[in-house]
Amino acid sequence: MLKLRRYWEWGRLLSRDADKRIVDRVRSRPDAIESVGHEQRLWRRFYPPTGREGLVPLAFVFADTTEAKVANTVAVLEEAGRRYWAPRRYDTYHRGITARDYGQAVPVVLTTLEQLQEHGADAAVWRRLGRTGEQKLTAALDNPDGDVLFRDQEARADAAEEQRRGAEREERRPVCMRCGRKFTDQRWEETTARGGAWTAGDASVCGACHADDVARKEAAAEAARLQAALPPEPEDDPESDRGRGWFRRRT
């Protein structure tokens, strides 16, 4: 148990060349180390990236002991050492996320010397704390319910949320009071944007009906303009008609 705790604490130490701002932040608030990437930590100066979430794995190999004692030790490690090896819930607002965050956990695997001698280290002789059954080492260290699953579930949740918001938006989309068609996004924006009422015209009609209104107004204005441009019609002169009557030839 002491070894596991010290291993976990060592995995949380910053490297000597870590950014000074990060060092100061962690000194003032030790839990801030959990937001610091592993490339800034001391263990990365001794070990290459593991390719998995979490700290460097820790293996326990039991020798010259009984199965009962091994089972008892495993039970103690799982219960008392849960803080060090167990994954956490992801900090997300999405519901239904079953993935677990292994980013701050020490992967702990166990086996016995007898199993290694009989089957070899590549065989399914390793048990991971928090799991049942024995696996091959690679499978035991993998996190099928970890980061990869989280990204998939988060993407699905984001898509579902986007679909829900889209459906709610469609329910609010205005309908033209004249023809019954739904507003386009552009028309909706025109009728609701600040200052848009000056150019949107009748806000109860869709873009097509509004275009018809504009076309009718423009046609009426053009007709009025053309009418105003016509020359005045000549008026009849009653005096000229009277004069022609005096000199009309008799037949």
Side-chain angles (χ1 to χ4, degrees):
M1 179 64 193
L2 180 62
K3 180 178 181 180
L4 174 57
R5 178 173 65 81
R6 288 181 175 177
Y7 213 76
W8 178 79
E9 291 174 346
W10 180 76
R12 294 166 67 87
L13 295 177
L14 289 171
S15 64
R16 293 182 180 181
D17 59 348
D19 188 279
K20 184 178 183 302
R21 291 171 296 181
I22 295 177
V23 174
D24 292 341
R25 186 168 74 248
V26 173
R27 283 177 178 173
S28 63
R29 188 166 56 88
D31 286 346
I33 187 64
E34 296 184 359
S35 63
V36 178
H38 290 286
E39 67 277 359
Q40 295 278 348
R41 302 193 190 184
L42 180 62
W43 73 266
R44 280 294 306 276
R45 302 301 179 267
F46 296 90
Y47 295 97
T50 63
R52 303 178 178 87
E53 311 100 293
L55 305 175
V56 179
L58 176 61
F60 286 92
V61 178
F62 298 96
D64 299 326
T65 186
T66 64
E67 292 184 3
K69 289 182 179 180
V70 171
N72 182 64
T73 302
V74 170
V76 171
L77 288 172
E78 286 188 331
E79 182 63 29
R82 180 171 296 275
R83 177 185 180 185
Y84 311 121
W85 64 261
R88 307 174 184 178
R89 292 181 178 273
Y90 272 99
D91 184 14
T92 177
Y93 64 89
H94 289 306
R95 295 182 178 180
I97 299 294
T98 61
R100 291 294 179 263
D101 183 3
Y102 288 85
Q104 309 303 319
V106 176
V108 180
V109 293
L110 314 101
T111 189
T112 64
L113 182 60
E114 290 75 17
Q115 285 182 306
L116 291 177
Q117 291 174 336
E118 182 177 356
H119 305 288
D122 294 334
V125 296
W126 299 95
R127 178 186 171 186
R128 172 90 173 258
L129 283 189
R131 301 178 187 175
T132 58
E134 295 174 335
Q135 300 173 288
K136 291 186 176 182
L137 184 58
T138 300
L141 294 176
D142 284 342
N143 303 310
D145 60 341
D147 184 59
V148 173
L149 178 62
F150 173 70
R151 291 198 300 268
D152 179 69
Q153 291 182 333
E154 185 179 44
R156 292 174 181 270
D158 286 339
E161 178 68 14
E162 185 68 22
Q163 185 177 10
R164 183 187 65 79
R165 291 178 180 176
E168 291 178 351
R169 175 179 170 81
E170 287 304 311
E171 290 180 359
R172 300 192 304 270
R173 185 180 294 275
V175 175
C176 181
M177 299 299 293
R178 187 179 302 168
C179 70
R181 287 179 292 188
K182 289 187 175 183
F183 282 25
T184 62
D185 289 344
Q186 180 180 355
R187 180 59 178 166
W188 195 358
E189 178 67 21
E190 289 173 351
T191 57
T192 57
R194 180 178 297 180
W198 294 101
T199 58
D202 186 354
S204 68
V205 299
C206 65
C209 290
H210 171 61
D212 291 342
D213 290 344
V214 172
R216 281 194 296 269
K217 290 180 180 179
E218 291 178 348
E222 180 65 12
R225 186 187 67 80
L226 294 175
Q227 182 66 34
L230 291 175
E233 295 182 359
E235 298 180 358
D236 293 337
D237 188 351
E239 293 296 329
S240 62
D241 290 342
R242 189 179 303 115
R244 287 195 297 269
W246 293 341
F247 300 100
R248 181 176 302 166
R249 178 180 296 180
R250 294 182 179 180
T251 58

